[in-house]
PDB file of all heavy atoms in Angstrom:
ATOM      1  N   PRO M 568      26.517 -34.623  20.615  1.00 96.00           N
ATOM      2  CA  PRO M 568      25.271 -35.220  20.132  1.00 96.00           C
ATOM      3  C   PRO M 568      25.242 -35.154  18.613  1.00 96.00           C
ATOM      4  O   PRO M 568      25.574 -34.125  18.027  1.00 96.00           O
ATOM      5  CB  PRO M 568      24.189 -34.338  20.756  1.00 96.00           C
ATOM      6  CG  PRO M 568      24.867 -33.064  21.120  1.00 96.00           C
ATOM      7  CD  PRO M 568      26.300 -33.386  21.386  1.00 96.00           C
ATOM      8  N   PHE M 569      24.885 -36.269  17.964  1.00 96.00           N
ATOM      9  CA  PHE M 569      24.879 -36.235  16.509  1.00 96.00           C
ATOM     10  C   PHE M 569      23.768 -37.119  15.957  1.00 96.00           C
ATOM     11  O   PHE M 569      23.251 -38.011  16.638  1.00 96.00           O
ATOM     12  CB  PHE M 569      26.247 -36.642  15.939  1.00 96.00           C
ATOM     13  CG  PHE M 569      26.482 -38.124  15.833  1.00 96.00           C
ATOM     14  CD1 PHE M 569      26.345 -38.782  14.626  1.00 96.00           C
ATOM     15  CD2 PHE M 569      26.861 -38.864  16.946  1.00 96.00           C
ATOM     16  CE1 PHE M 569      26.574 -40.149  14.514  1.00 96.00           C
ATOM     17  CE2 PHE M 569      27.100 -40.221  16.852  1.00 96.00           C
ATOM     18  CZ  PHE M 569      26.960 -40.876  15.633  1.00 96.00           C
ATOM     19  N   ILE M 570      23.430 -36.817  14.737  1.00 96.00           N
ATOM     20  CA  ILE M 570      22.451 -37.593  13.994  1.00 96.00           C
ATOM     21  C   ILE M 570      23.041 -37.842  12.622  1.00 96.00           C
ATOM     22  O   ILE M 570      23.780 -36.997  12.092  1.00 96.00           O
ATOM     23  CB  ILE M 570      21.097 -36.839  13.904  1.00 96.00           C
ATOM     24  CG1 ILE M 570      20.008 -37.735  13.342  1.00 96.00           C
ATOM     25  CG2 ILE M 570      21.231 -35.573  13.085  1.00 96.00           C
ATOM     26  CD1 ILE M 570      18.624 -37.086  13.374  1.00 96.00           C
ATOM     27  N   GLU M 571      22.771 -39.005  12.056  1.00 96.00           N
ATOM     28  CA  GLU M 571      23.263 -39.298  10.712  1.00 96.00           C
ATOM     29  C   GLU M 571      22.096 -39.253   9.739  1.00 96.00           C
ATOM     30  O   GLU M 571      21.057 -39.865   9.975  1.00 96.00           O
ATOM     31  CB  GLU M 571      23.942 -40.661  10.676  1.00 96.00           C
ATOM     32  CG  GLU M 571      24.701 -40.902   9.398  1.00 96.00           C
ATOM     33  CD  GLU M 571      25.749 -42.000   9.554  1.00 96.00           C
ATOM     34  OE1 GLU M 571      26.848 -41.700  10.076  1.00 96.00           O
ATOM     35  OE2 GLU M 571      25.456 -43.135   9.170  1.00 96.00           O
ATOM     36  N   ALA M 572      22.280 -38.500   8.683  1.00 95.00           N
ATOM     37  CA  ALA M 572      21.262 -38.378   7.641  1.00 95.00           C
ATOM     38  C   ALA M 572      21.874 -38.798   6.327  1.00 95.00           C
ATOM     39  O   ALA M 572      23.079 -38.634   6.101  1.00 95.00           O
ATOM     40  CB  ALA M 572      20.754 -36.943   7.550  1.00 95.00           C
ATOM     41  N   THR M 573      21.075 -39.360   5.451  1.00 93.00           N
ATOM     42  CA  THR M 573      21.583 -39.776   4.147  1.00 93.00           C
ATOM     43  C   THR M 573      21.080 -38.841   3.060  1.00 93.00           C
ATOM     44  O   THR M 573      19.946 -38.345   3.107  1.00 93.00           O
ATOM     45  CB  THR M 573      21.166 -41.221   3.798  1.00 93.00           C
ATOM     46  OG1 THR M 573      19.756 -41.269   3.564  1.00 93.00           O
ATOM     47  CG2 THR M 573      21.550 -42.170   4.927  1.00 93.00           C
ATOM     48  N   TYR M 574      21.943 -38.619   2.109  1.00 89.00           N
ATOM     49  CA  TYR M 574      21.617 -37.780   0.955  1.00 89.00           C
ATOM     50  C   TYR M 574      20.400 -38.336   0.224  1.00 89.00           C
ATOM     51  O   TYR M 574      19.499 -37.597  -0.189  1.00 89.00           O
ATOM     52  CB  TYR M 574      22.837 -37.734   0.043  1.00 89.00           C
ATOM     53  CG  TYR M 574      22.688 -36.926  -1.219  1.00 89.00           C
ATOM     54  CD1 TYR M 574      22.891 -35.552  -1.210  1.00 89.00           C
ATOM     55  CD2 TYR M 574      22.380 -37.543  -2.430  1.00 89.00           C
ATOM     56  CE1 TYR M 574      22.773 -34.813  -2.377  1.00 89.00           C
ATOM     57  CE2 TYR M 574      22.267 -36.811  -3.600  1.00 89.00           C
ATOM     58  CZ  TYR M 574      22.463 -35.442  -3.561  1.00 89.00           C
ATOM     59  OH  TYR M 574      22.344 -34.713  -4.713  1.00 89.00           O
ATOM     60  N   GLU M 575      20.359 -39.647   0.104  1.00 89.00           N
ATOM     61  CA  GLU M 575      19.269 -40.290  -0.627  1.00 89.00           C
ATOM     62  C   GLU M 575      17.923 -40.069   0.067  1.00 89.00           C
ATOM     63  O   GLU M 575      16.904 -39.806  -0.580  1.00 89.00           O
ATOM     64  CB  GLU M 575      19.553 -41.787  -0.773  1.00 89.00           C
ATOM     65  CG  GLU M 575      20.683 -42.117  -1.753  1.00 89.00           C
ATOM     66  CD  GLU M 575      22.077 -42.005  -1.159  1.00 89.00           C
ATOM     67  OE1 GLU M 575      22.198 -41.640   0.032  1.00 89.00           O
ATOM     68  OE2 GLU M 575      23.041 -42.277  -1.881  1.00 89.00           O
ATOM     69  N   ALA M 576      17.913 -40.153   1.412  1.00 91.00           N
ATOM     70  CA  ALA M 576      16.665 -39.960   2.156  1.00 91.00           C
ATOM     71  C   ALA M 576      16.188 -38.517   2.071  1.00 91.00           C
ATOM     72  O   ALA M 576      14.982 -38.251   2.026  1.00 91.00           O
ATOM     73  CB  ALA M 576      16.852 -40.372   3.613  1.00 91.00           C
ATOM     74  N   LEU M 577      17.126 -37.580   2.034  1.00 87.00           N
ATOM     75  CA  LEU M 577      16.740 -36.171   1.913  1.00 87.00           C
ATOM     76  C   LEU M 577      16.057 -35.896   0.580  1.00 87.00           C
ATOM     77  O   LEU M 577      15.178 -35.035   0.485  1.00 87.00           O
ATOM     78  CB  LEU M 577      17.974 -35.272   2.053  1.00 87.00           C
ATOM     79  CG  LEU M 577      18.552 -35.149   3.462  1.00 87.00           C
ATOM     80  CD1 LEU M 577      19.859 -34.367   3.426  1.00 87.00           C
ATOM     81  CD2 LEU M 577      17.570 -34.475   4.408  1.00 87.00           C
ATOM     82  N   LEU M 578      16.446 -36.636  -0.451  1.00 84.00           N
ATOM     83  CA  LEU M 578      15.825 -36.445  -1.763  1.00 84.00           C
ATOM     84  C   LEU M 578      14.425 -37.046  -1.840  1.00 84.00           C
ATOM     85  O   LEU M 578      13.630 -36.648  -2.689  1.00 84.00           O
ATOM     86  CB  LEU M 578      16.697 -37.068  -2.861  1.00 84.00           C
ATOM     87  CG  LEU M 578      18.044 -36.399  -3.129  1.00 84.00           C
ATOM     88  CD1 LEU M 578      18.815 -37.194  -4.169  1.00 84.00           C
ATOM     89  CD2 LEU M 578      17.861 -34.959  -3.589  1.00 84.00           C
ATOM     90  N   GLU M 579      14.139 -37.991  -0.953  1.00 84.00           N
ATOM     91  CA  GLU M 579      12.865 -38.705  -1.037  1.00 84.00           C
ATOM     92  C   GLU M 579      11.676 -37.889  -0.544  1.00 84.00           C
ATOM     93  O   GLU M 579      10.552 -38.111  -0.979  1.00 84.00           O
ATOM     94  CB  GLU M 579      12.958 -40.010  -0.245  1.00 84.00           C
ATOM     95  CG  GLU M 579      13.843 -41.061  -0.919  1.00 84.00           C
ATOM     96  CD  GLU M 579      13.965 -42.323  -0.085  1.00 84.00           C
ATOM     97  OE1 GLU M 579      13.345 -42.372   1.009  1.00 84.00           O
ATOM     98  OE2 GLU M 579      14.679 -43.253  -0.505  1.00 84.00           O
ATOM     99  N   GLY M 580      11.891 -36.971   0.386  1.00 78.00           N
ATOM    100  CA  GLY M 580      10.751 -36.218   0.898  1.00 78.00           C
ATOM    101  C   GLY M 580      11.090 -35.464   2.160  1.00 78.00           C
ATOM    102  O   GLY M 580      12.250 -35.269   2.523  1.00 78.00           O
ATOM    103  N   GLU M 581      10.030 -35.047   2.880  1.00 84.00           N
ATOM    104  CA  GLU M 581      10.179 -34.167   4.020  1.00 84.00           C
ATOM    105  C   GLU M 581      10.519 -34.883   5.322  1.00 84.00           C
ATOM    106  O   GLU M 581      10.912 -34.246   6.299  1.00 84.00           O
ATOM    107  CB  GLU M 581       8.864 -33.378   4.220  1.00 84.00           C
ATOM    108  CG  GLU M 581       8.512 -32.460   3.060  1.00 84.00           C
ATOM    109  CD  GLU M 581       9.510 -31.321   2.924  1.00 84.00           C
ATOM    110  OE1 GLU M 581       9.730 -30.603   3.906  1.00 84.00           O
ATOM    111  OE2 GLU M 581      10.084 -31.180   1.822  1.00 84.00           O
ATOM    112  N   GLN M 582      10.367 -36.198   5.365  1.00 88.00           N
ATOM    113  CA  GLN M 582      10.521 -36.917   6.626  1.00 88.00           C
ATOM    114  C   GLN M 582      11.925 -36.771   7.207  1.00 88.00           C
ATOM    115  O   GLN M 582      12.090 -36.575   8.419  1.00 88.00           O
ATOM    116  CB  GLN M 582      10.185 -38.399   6.439  1.00 88.00           C
ATOM    117  CG  GLN M 582      10.175 -39.185   7.740  1.00 88.00           C
ATOM    118  CD  GLN M 582       9.669 -40.610   7.545  1.00 88.00           C
ATOM    119  OE1 GLN M 582       9.195 -40.976   6.480  1.00 88.00           O
ATOM    120  NE2 GLN M 582       9.783 -41.411   8.585  1.00 88.00           N
ATOM    121  N   GLU M 583      12.931 -36.841   6.364  1.00 89.00           N
ATOM    122  CA  GLU M 583      14.309 -36.724   6.856  1.00 89.00           C
ATOM    123  C   GLU M 583      14.596 -35.307   7.343  1.00 89.00           C
ATOM    124  O   GLU M 583      15.275 -35.113   8.356  1.00 89.00           O
ATOM    125  CB  GLU M 583      15.292 -37.133   5.756  1.00 89.00           C
ATOM    126  CG  GLU M 583      16.720 -37.317   6.226  1.00 89.00           C
ATOM    127  CD  GLU M 583      16.966 -38.639   6.939  1.00 89.00           C
ATOM    128  OE1 GLU M 583      15.995 -39.250   7.427  1.00 89.00           O
ATOM    129  OE2 GLU M 583      18.130 -39.056   7.022  1.00 89.00           O
ATOM    130  N   PHE M 584      14.068 -34.308   6.631  1.00 87.00           N
ATOM    131  CA  PHE M 584      14.230 -32.926   7.082  1.00 87.00           C
ATOM    132  C   PHE M 584      13.570 -32.732   8.443  1.00 87.00           C
ATOM    133  O   PHE M 584      14.119 -32.067   9.321  1.00 87.00           O
ATOM    134  CB  PHE M 584      13.622 -31.956   6.066  1.00 87.00           C
ATOM    135  CG  PHE M 584      14.496 -31.685   4.871  1.00 87.00           C
ATOM    136  CD1 PHE M 584      14.192 -32.229   3.643  1.00 87.00           C
ATOM    137  CD2 PHE M 584      15.619 -30.885   4.978  1.00 87.00           C
ATOM    138  CE1 PHE M 584      14.990 -31.988   2.538  1.00 87.00           C
ATOM    139  CE2 PHE M 584      16.427 -30.628   3.882  1.00 87.00           C
ATOM    140  CZ  PHE M 584      16.110 -31.184   2.653  1.00 87.00           C
ATOM    141  N   ALA M 585      12.388 -33.295   8.613  1.00 88.00           N
ATOM    142  CA  ALA M 585      11.669 -33.167   9.882  1.00 88.00           C
ATOM    143  C   ALA M 585      12.452 -33.798  11.018  1.00 88.00           C
ATOM    144  O   ALA M 585      12.508 -33.270  12.139  1.00 88.00           O
ATOM    145  CB  ALA M 585      10.289 -33.813   9.756  1.00 88.00           C
ATOM    146  N   ARG M 586      13.071 -34.935  10.758  1.00 92.00           N
ATOM    147  CA  ARG M 586      13.877 -35.622  11.775  1.00 92.00           C
ATOM    148  C   ARG M 586      15.070 -34.762  12.189  1.00 92.00           C
ATOM    149  O   ARG M 586      15.410 -34.675  13.375  1.00 92.00           O
ATOM    150  CB  ARG M 586      14.350 -36.968  11.221  1.00 92.00           C
ATOM    151  CG  ARG M 586      14.966 -37.902  12.247  1.00 92.00           C
ATOM    152  CD  ARG M 586      15.170 -39.291  11.646  1.00 92.00           C
ATOM    153  NE  ARG M 586      16.210 -39.304  10.639  1.00 92.00           N
ATOM    154  CZ  ARG M 586      17.490 -39.607  10.894  1.00 92.00           C
ATOM    155  NH1 ARG M 586      17.863 -39.922  12.119  1.00 92.00           N
ATOM    156  NH2 ARG M 586      18.373 -39.620   9.919  1.00 92.00           N
ATOM    157  N   ILE M 587      15.700 -34.098  11.216  1.00 91.00           N
ATOM    158  CA  ILE M 587      16.838 -33.226  11.508  1.00 91.00           C
ATOM    159  C   ILE M 587      16.382 -32.009  12.311  1.00 91.00           C
ATOM    160  O   ILE M 587      17.049 -31.597  13.271  1.00 91.00           O
ATOM    161  CB  ILE M 587      17.532 -32.798  10.199  1.00 91.00           C
ATOM    162  CG1 ILE M 587      18.179 -34.010   9.525  1.00 91.00           C
ATOM    163  CG2 ILE M 587      18.571 -31.719  10.459  1.00 91.00           C
ATOM    164  CD1 ILE M 587      18.705 -33.729   8.136  1.00 91.00           C
ATOM    165  N   CYS M 588      15.247 -31.412  11.931  1.00 90.00           N
ATOM    166  CA  CYS M 588      14.728 -30.255  12.667  1.00 90.00           C
ATOM    167  C   CYS M 588      14.455 -30.607  14.123  1.00 90.00           C
ATOM    168  O   CYS M 588      14.764 -29.837  15.042  1.00 90.00           O
ATOM    169  CB  CYS M 588      13.446 -29.736  12.000  1.00 90.00           C
ATOM    170  SG  CYS M 588      13.715 -28.886  10.429  1.00 90.00           S
ATOM    171  N   THR M 589      13.878 -31.779  14.348  1.00 92.00           N
ATOM    172  CA  THR M 589      13.614 -32.227  15.715  1.00 92.00           C
ATOM    173  C   THR M 589      14.907 -32.361  16.498  1.00 92.00           C
ATOM    174  O   THR M 589      15.004 -31.930  17.662  1.00 92.00           O
ATOM    175  CB  THR M 589      12.864 -33.569  15.706  1.00 92.00           C
ATOM    176  OG1 THR M 589      11.617 -33.407  15.022  1.00 92.00           O
ATOM    177  CG2 THR M 589      12.601 -34.063  17.117  1.00 92.00           C
ATOM    178  N   PHE M 590      15.928 -32.946  15.882  1.00 94.00           N
ATOM    179  CA  PHE M 590      17.220 -33.116  16.537  1.00 94.00           C
ATOM    180  C   PHE M 590      17.840 -31.771  16.899  1.00 94.00           C
ATOM    181  O   PHE M 590      18.436 -31.604  17.970  1.00 94.00           O
ATOM    182  CB  PHE M 590      18.155 -33.907  15.623  1.00 94.00           C
ATOM    183  CG  PHE M 590      19.592 -33.918  16.062  1.00 94.00           C
ATOM    184  CD1 PHE M 590      19.996 -34.663  17.156  1.00 94.00           C
ATOM    185  CD2 PHE M 590      20.545 -33.184  15.360  1.00 94.00           C
ATOM    186  CE1 PHE M 590      21.327 -34.673  17.562  1.00 94.00           C
ATOM    187  CE2 PHE M 590      21.869 -33.192  15.760  1.00 94.00           C
ATOM    188  CZ  PHE M 590      22.257 -33.936  16.865  1.00 94.00           C
ATOM    189  N   LEU M 591      17.724 -30.776  16.007  1.00 92.00           N
ATOM    190  CA  LEU M 591      18.317 -29.461  16.227  1.00 92.00           C
ATOM    191  C   LEU M 591      17.472 -28.581  17.135  1.00 92.00           C
ATOM    192  O   LEU M 591      17.912 -27.503  17.544  1.00 92.00           O
ATOM    193  CB  LEU M 591      18.552 -28.754  14.889  1.00 92.00           C
ATOM    194  CG  LEU M 591      19.558 -29.409  13.939  1.00 92.00           C
ATOM    195  CD1 LEU M 591      19.614 -28.657  12.619  1.00 92.00           C
ATOM    196  CD2 LEU M 591      20.944 -29.469  14.570  1.00 92.00           C
ATOM    197  N   GLY M 592      16.251 -29.025  17.418  1.00 90.00           N
ATOM    198  CA  GLY M 592      15.385 -28.252  18.294  1.00 90.00           C
ATOM    199  C   GLY M 592      14.814 -27.014  17.644  1.00 90.00           C
ATOM    200  O   GLY M 592      14.571 -26.001  18.307  1.00 90.00           O
ATOM    201  N   ILE M 593      14.593 -27.087  16.337  1.00 88.00           N
ATOM    202  CA  ILE M 593      14.002 -25.951  15.623  1.00 88.00           C
ATOM    203  C   ILE M 593      12.645 -26.365  15.080  1.00 88.00           C
ATOM    204  O   ILE M 593      12.429 -27.534  14.761  1.00 88.00           O
ATOM    205  CB  ILE M 593      14.914 -25.449  14.481  1.00 88.00           C
ATOM    206  CG1 ILE M 593      15.203 -26.566  13.483  1.00 88.00           C
ATOM    207  CG2 ILE M 593      16.208 -24.897  15.042  1.00 88.00           C
ATOM    208  CD1 ILE M 593      16.067 -26.131  12.310  1.00 88.00           C
ATOM    209  N   PRO M 594      11.696 -25.414  14.987  1.00 84.00           N
ATOM    210  CA  PRO M 594      10.370 -25.762  14.489  1.00 84.00           C
ATOM    211  C   PRO M 594      10.422 -26.265  13.057  1.00 84.00           C
ATOM    212  O   PRO M 594      11.208 -25.771  12.240  1.00 84.00           O
ATOM    213  CB  PRO M 594       9.592 -24.438  14.575  1.00 84.00           C
ATOM    214  CG  PRO M 594      10.392 -23.567  15.492  1.00 84.00           C
ATOM    215  CD  PRO M 594      11.813 -23.987  15.340  1.00 84.00           C
ATOM    216  N   ARG M 595       9.593 -27.235  12.770  1.00 77.00           N
ATOM    217  CA  ARG M 595       9.497 -27.716  11.393  1.00 77.00           C
ATOM    218  C   ARG M 595       8.831 -26.639  10.541  1.00 77.00           C
ATOM    219  O   ARG M 595       7.776 -26.118  10.904  1.00 77.00           O
ATOM    220  CB  ARG M 595       8.689 -29.003  11.343  1.00 77.00           C
ATOM    221  CG  ARG M 595       8.586 -29.607   9.951  1.00 77.00           C
ATOM    222  CD  ARG M 595       7.833 -30.917   9.980  1.00 77.00           C
ATOM    223  NE  ARG M 595       7.680 -31.463   8.648  1.00 77.00           N
ATOM    224  CZ  ARG M 595       7.081 -32.612   8.369  1.00 77.00           C
ATOM    225  NH1 ARG M 595       6.597 -33.348   9.370  1.00 77.00           N
ATOM    226  NH2 ARG M 595       6.974 -33.045   7.131  1.00 77.00           N
TER     227      ARG M 595
END
């Protein structure tokens, strides 16, 4: 199982981090 995240989106704000946390099954 994998998710693709972009460096640019991570710099923009918390939304990309939240998406990764959801994928990993860890609390935001």
